[in-house]
Amino acid sequence: MAERAPLWTVFVLPVLLVIVALVAAGFDAVLSAGARSGRSASLREAAVRASWPGREALRHLVQQPRRTRASDVPLTRIGTALLPVAAILAGVVLPLGFRSVSDLPEGIVWFNAMESLAWAAVWLAGWGPNSALSLIGGYRFLAQGLAYELPHMLAITTAALGAESLRVGEVVDAQAGLWFAVWMPVAFGIYLLSAMAMAFWGPFDQPAGRDVAGGAVAELSGADRVLFLGGRWLLLVVASAFSVPLFLGGGHGPLLPGWTWTVLKTAAVLTVLVWGRRKVPALRMERYVELAWVVLTPLAIVQALVVAVVVVNR
Amino acid sequence: MGVVDGLPMADRADDRDGLRLDLLHVPLGPVLPDWPSGLVLRLALQGDVVQEATVERVTAPPPPQPPFWSEPFLRAATGERIPRGDAARRLCAAHLDSLGRFFAVAGWGDMAARARYARDRALAGATAAELSALVRPLTRRAERSRTLRWLTAGLGVLPAGHARHHGVTGPALVADGDAHDRMLAWLDAVGRSAAAVDALEVLDDAARAVGPRGQVVGAVPASQALLNVLPGLLQGAEFACARIIVASLDPDLDELNHVSAAGMVHG
């Protein structure tokens, strides 16, 4: 079972998450710049490219914010602020090695509840500015949410089922011998897909798609934009980090201390998600909904059934 | 239509299934990312489905120079001797530009960036070898992507007969199919013209008249024909599909301005 970390970690957690998010966004910026204007000629140039997200965030902070006509300012504000808050609250149950800020007895449910706040956040941010394009972005995210959430919940339930506990620490303990990813590959795959969908990232970034000028993000400017887009990166980081205790054995690993294994595994998952994003176009919502209901949900149910049978016969 | 705070409210109107649903009038363009510049589409949306689309365009003062993308072909059509390589270079860059918009609208930012990089290299005078090396992986990835096929096939089907009837020439006619087929037609033309950018002989008569969007000489500019078929293709399309259809035709509104300018000079 995971130990409870000291109180000061409450303040360290957001800082740590922001740093990881900045590194991931920097990595993404290097890849993007490489596609846009060829490979970087020197290490210095690569560093400049990697610092782009940070510079962009500062630029937005000092920029004069603009506002649309007849917009609902409180709604927009609540929506934008909710996204990073939801990500950090979900991160509370994340164990670094074998210690988390709080190892709640129903940690998995807590994680799922917090990430569901993203639904409200994106929807409010899309609805608030009173603009057709951002409204379409909000609608798209609701459709996406309805389609990804059921397979996603089945996938994380499968991990809880395998450990016979909703406590994240016990899920990690149950993987001391064999990682869940090995004998629940379908659930792991579905979890990774839904981790991207949750952060409307990768092939699931249609809610913030170029075709609707950024969709839910289209009308956000200044600090709102930084909060929202930063919150999206935080969600991606937290969602991919959570795959480590759920499916990749958490801090278990030879030689190195537990926390290094968590960091290494999280970095690996994040790299795959950020790099893999470049390989595929965005999934159109009406097509993805079909896939989610007809293929992913039945697959997730079968996977849960297999795990349940194994657990009962153990 | 009611007005609240100076903004029009949604109306209600019958949809295709005979229900009465909110109808929202949304103009798209003239400035949207990855949008043919100068084009305005007035959409009547129910939910995110296009019920009706009408084409307008921003009336700009006639530009002093001929439209950039079809310029070598226009000059060749007036009898000027243009090297085949120059025309191929412009054609290659024009299609890469269109592909950049298409990929961006399909949500494939990485490929859009690569297509635009290749376009810039083509215009900067890259050799056939360099350009082919840039274009080949691009073509391979786009042709092999099952996801892209799954997402763009069946959108904006334009059979050759229907296209010819409306005076469409060029890649949209050659493709004889949906948005995905039109992308394949561009990729094919990009590959062939990238290999020909070093050719020095003079453009022959057959290739002379066909620019990136189609025939450069004729009563109707090639892009006008594309605009004529557009509303019909958009009807009933979902919003994202509508954007993909527009990007797959990619009319060049400069061509229209040029013709009206020429008309003014002669008239």
Side-chain angles (χ1 to χ4, degrees):
Chain A
M1 193 148 75
E3 291 172 58
R4 178 99 179 272
L7 197 61
W8 52 264
T9 50
V10 174
F11 303 100
V12 175
L13 175 75
V15 178
L16 200 66
L17 287 178
V18 168
I19 292 172
V20 177
L22 267 177
V23 172
F27 174 56
D28 181 55
V30 170
L31 291 180
S32 291
R36 207 165 44 236
S37 45
R39 213 165 273 160
S40 43
S42 63
L43 214 59
R44 204 185 113 82
E45 196 183 348
V48 170
R49 287 174 173 187
S51 69
W52 185 81
R55 282 181 287 135
E56 191 69 353
L58 290 180
R59 188 175 72 81
H60 280 298
L61 285 177
V62 297
Q63 208 178 36
Q64 175 86 31
R66 61 189 158 78
R67 189 168 298 161
T68 42
R69 185 104 173 256
S71 62
D72 196 325
V73 179
L75 274 194
T76 318
R77 285 276 153 76
I78 293 172
T80 48
L82 199 55
L83 205 58
V85 169
I88 289 167
L89 285 181
V92 163
V93 291
L94 266 180
L96 180 62
F98 302 98
R99 286 167 158 235
S100 47
V101 171
S102 172
D103 194 26
L104 294 168
E106 47 293 291
I108 289 184
V109 179
W110 168 267
F111 175 79
N112 195 225
M114 289 308 112
E115 63 182 20
S116 301
L117 285 179
W119 288 31
V122 179
W123 169 245
L124 291 179
W127 172 274
N130 192 24
S131 142
L133 295 178
S134 72
L135 184 66
I136 290 175
Y139 276 134
R140 281 178 176 176
F141 190 66
L142 283 197
Q144 179 164 307
L146 289 170
Y148 86 72
E149 188 62 28
L150 204 64
H152 173 70
M153 285 197 328
L154 283 166
I156 58 177
T157 311
T158 308
L161 200 61
E164 295 176 69
S165 168
L166 285 170
R167 195 187 279 274
V168 182
E170 283 176 15
V171 177
V172 173
D173 290 345
Q175 300 175 72
L178 188 63
W179 293 2
F180 281 175
V182 179
W183 65 287
M184 310 173 185
V186 178
F188 180 52
I190 289 177
Y191 179 84
L192 284 187
L193 278 184
S194 48
M196 287 192 276
M198 194 191 304
F200 44 111
W201 169 260
F204 303 97
D205 73 349
Q206 234 211 350
R210 280 279 281 183
D211 61 332
V212 277
V217 195
E219 304 295 349
L220 299 178
S221 59
D224 289 341
R225 197 179 180 85
V226 174
L227 268 181
F228 193 83
L229 289 177
R232 178 201 204 181
W233 274 104
L234 286 177
L235 258 181
L236 184 71
V237 168
V238 169
S240 49
F242 205 62
S243 72
V244 174
L246 275 190
F247 294 101
L248 297 175
H252 290 295
L255 301 173
L256 301 171
W259 65 270
T260 34
W261 277 115
T262 306
V263 170
L264 285 176
K265 289 171 186 174
T266 304
V269 173
L270 256 180
T271 310
V272 168
L273 295 191
V274 169
W275 173 81
R277 191 268 163 278
R278 328 198 68 80
K279 301 286 153 198
V280 275
L283 290 178
R284 257 171 36 223
M285 240 359 83
E286 84 271 25
R287 289 287 161 97
Y288 174 62
V289 169
E290 197 183 316
L291 178 81
W293 289 109
V294 179
V295 181
L296 294 182
T297 308
L299 269 180
I301 291 175
V302 170
Q303 173 78 88
L305 182 71
V306 169
V307 171
V309 169
V310 171
V311 168
V312 166
N313 287 325
R314 193 148 60 189
Chain B
M1 201 188 303
V3 172
V4 172
D5 211 349
L7 296 167
M9 294 279 288
D11 273 344
R12 296 218 300 159
D14 293 333
D15 84 337
R16 295 175 298 169
D17 305 322
L19 303 165
R20 279 188 81 75
L21 294 176
D22 277 358
L23 187 73
L24 195 62
H25 294 271
V26 178
L28 291 187
V31 278
L32 252 184
D34 314 306
W35 184 256
S37 60
L39 175 66
V40 181
L41 269 188
R42 299 213 171 264
L43 299 183
L45 290 176
Q46 279 183 328
D48 57 0
V49 175
V50 179
Q51 295 298 351
E52 214 189 301
T54 45
V55 172
E56 276 176 32
R57 59 194 179 89
V58 175
T59 39
Q65 59 296 79
F68 181 73
W69 294 120
S70 41
E71 184 225 33
F73 302 93
L74 282 167
R75 274 171 39 207
T78 60
E80 210 174 311
R81 293 166 66 84
I82 303 286
R84 199 160 68 87
D86 285 9
R89 187 178 290 284
R90 197 62 64 90
L91 186 84
C92 181
H95 286 336
L96 282 168
D97 189 57
S98 300
L99 283 167
R101 259 191 289 277
F102 183 82
F103 289 135
V105 166
W108 205 354
D110 191 62
M111 284 286 274
R114 281 169 201 281
R116 285 164 179 164
Y117 179 58
R119 170 201 65 190
D120 294 347
R121 291 301 306 148
L123 290 177
T127 59
E130 189 202 335
L131 207 53
S132 297
L134 275 175
V135 161
R136 216 172 294 124
L138 199 79
T139 310
R140 202 168 35 222
R141 260 171 90 181
E143 280 177 350
R144 284 191 188 165
S145 171
R146 291 212 186 140
T147 326
L148 189 66
R149 182 188 301 269
W150 181 51
L151 292 170
T152 58
L155 299 182
V157 179
L158 183 62
H162 184 68
R164 208 171 285 122
H165 176 72
H166 281 88
V168 172
T169 50
L173 177 69
V174 175
D176 181 23
D178 53 27
H180 189 258
D181 293 323
R182 289 194 281 276
M183 180 207 66
L184 292 179
W186 279 336
L187 286 173
D188 184 47
V190 162
R192 274 184 290 115
S193 52
V197 293
D198 295 336
L200 291 171
E201 69 267 35
V202 174
L203 201 60
D204 56 25
D205 285 337
R208 179 174 290 178
V210 184
R213 266 75 180 185
Q215 297 277 348
V216 290
V217 283
V220 180
S223 292
Q224 181 61 53
L226 292 176
L227 288 181
N228 292 344
V229 293
L230 189 55
L233 296 183
L234 290 180
Q235 237 171 52
E238 194 261 347
F239 190 88
C241 305
R243 283 295 313 261
I244 291 175
I245 293 169
V246 172
S248 74
L249 290 175
D250 200 29
D252 175 13
L253 275 79
D254 278 358
E255 287 187 2
L256 278 56
N257 283 340
H258 176 66
V259 168
S260 51
M264 267 164 51
V265 170
H266 296 299

